Amino acid sequence: MALSPPPATTGVRVRVPAKINLALKVGAPRPDGYHPLATVYQAVSVYDEVHVAWADPDVFEVVVSGEGADQVPLDDSNLAVRAAKLLARTHAPNDSLGAHLSIKKSIPVAGGLAGGSANGAAALLACAVLWDLDVSTEGLMALAAELGSDVPFALLGGTAVGSGRGEDVAPALARGTYHWVLAFGYHGLSTPAVYRHFDELSPGAPPPEVPADLMNALRSGDPRLLGAALSNDLEPAALDIQPRLRTVLETGLEYGALGALVSGSGPTCAFLVDGESAAVDLSVSLSAEGLCRAVRRATGPVNGARVIG
Ligand code: C5P
């Protein structure tokens, strides 16, 4: 009798969202060089897709298409490749697994939206399914934390509080759906460079705490309260490195955004608006100003990484 092919012979496709930080509180660097964070993440509806298929033993290859594809490394520093190798090494050390990875990008590279982390999270999930590994959600989350500070949140999605260096995530009580307009910058920002400049601007920053007004706003579901509570300790550093971002933020607020901030280490600027039609109006106005490379509408919160085929 012929054996059935494994269920995932054609491969596994995972969709994974971008994140914005509704609040990003940063302390002075720890002995390991990382900064202690108190952050609130929200997953928003800008997605990358990662497809994985079987490859010969120990072969790990990646191709990248879409938004900013030419800036994504194709060697072993690619987070999706690192994720696939880490999973194989830790959960199937004797099986000589391999994978062809294909990343379709919509999340801008070096944009402060955790696009690379999203690709790492998606590759972990996709390879676990492709190889039919016996790995728990907790096991995947632990590997995600090893890969990078934002990777666990990309698996979890929704709205969540992040602590430690950002990798320790817990779902937050949040009501409602929020409408965002995202303004993508012309040039990326290096996360380590922004953190270094933060240290220069804020020496001896106190231990970070999640802002109570933000958590109250999320529980109320009122976008006006949320707009007033958005905050990012890295914003002054990002604005110093790319002064044009200040004009982008001011312009969005002049056009009626309820709140505006640089997402993570930037340069993407996120504007909270009061519904779908306000989002259309603001994105048209911001595009017409020509201050940013591209403008996109998004809603949040959305799910974390999910298998879609
Ligand atoms: O953890 P991840 O690899 O995504 O972090 C990228 C870089 O961002 C780190 O090498 C570090 O320079 C900086 N970082 C930090 N503190 C954090 C998270 C990231 O200094 N909590």
Side-chain angles (χ1 to χ4, degrees):
M1 195 178 73
L3 286 176
S4 324
T9 36
T10 56
V12 175
R13 187 176 304 279
V14 166
R15 188 171 86 150
V16 64
K19 64 83 188 161
I20 53 184
N21 301 83
L22 308 180
L24 181 53
K25 298 305 208 187
V26 183
R30 315 188 301 200
D32 66 1
Y34 281 94
H35 294 71
L37 301 185
T39 188
V40 180
Y41 295 106
Q42 183 161 92
V44 295
S45 61
V46 177
Y47 298 99
D48 281 358
E49 281 182 22
V50 175
H51 180 267
V52 298
W54 286 91
D56 288 339
D58 301 317
V59 170
F60 290 86
E61 288 172 340
V62 64
V63 292
V64 184
S65 61
E67 165 85 30
D70 55 339
Q71 299 159 53
V72 178
L74 301 178
D75 59 15
D76 281 4
S77 66
N78 183 294
L79 259 177
V81 173
R82 281 173 49 201
K85 287 188 163 180
L86 177 66
L87 181 67
R89 196 164 67 239
T90 50
H91 286 270
N94 305 318
D95 290 347
S96 296
L97 296 168
H100 292 294
L101 299 106
S102 167
I103 304 174
K104 207 160 88 186
K105 291 208 63 69
S106 296
I107 308 173
V109 177
L113 298 171
S117 301
N119 299 157
L124 278 180
L125 178 61
C127 287
V129 174
L130 178 77
W131 296 329
D132 199 19
L133 299 181
D134 191 12
V135 47
S136 63
T137 305
E138 292 74 31
L140 278 188
M141 289 296 262
L143 295 182
E146 215 174 299
L147 285 168
S149 309
D150 292 336
V151 184
F153 176 70
L155 283 177
L156 181 66
T159 306
V161 173
S163 53
R165 58 182 169 85
E167 86 287 16
D168 193 356
V169 286
L173 278 177
R175 186 177 293 165
T177 294
Y178 298 94
H179 293 264
W180 297 95
V181 174
L182 305 176
F184 299 160
Y186 284 104
H187 308 286
L189 269 173
S190 148
T191 300
V194 174
Y195 272 104
R196 274 197 304 275
H197 193 42
F198 167 83
D199 292 337
E200 288 161 8
L201 294 178
S202 314
E209 283 176 33
V210 174
D213 60 342
L214 180 78
M215 301 312 285
N216 290 336
L218 284 170
R219 276 192 289 272
S220 78
D222 181 343
R224 283 173 195 284
L225 292 180
L226 185 64
L230 301 172
S231 71
N232 179 1
D233 284 353
L234 294 181
E235 193 170 284
L239 295 183
D240 251 12
I241 302 173
Q242 287 195 12
R244 161 203 292 265
L245 298 178
R246 193 182 298 279
T247 315
V248 178
L249 293 175
E250 285 167 2
T251 306
L253 289 169
E254 277 163 24
Y255 280 121
L258 303 176
L261 85 175
V262 169
S263 175
S265 56
T268 302
C269 294
F271 300 93
L272 182 63
V273 292
D274 193 10
E276 175 89 46
S277 70
V280 173
D281 289 348
L282 179 57
S283 46
V284 170
S285 303
L286 273 178
S287 300
E289 292 286 339
L291 292 165
C292 36
R293 183 174 53 79
V295 179
R296 276 205 57 168
R297 284 177 284 130
T299 58
V302 298
N303 285 332
R306 292 289 183 278
V307 175
I308 55 166

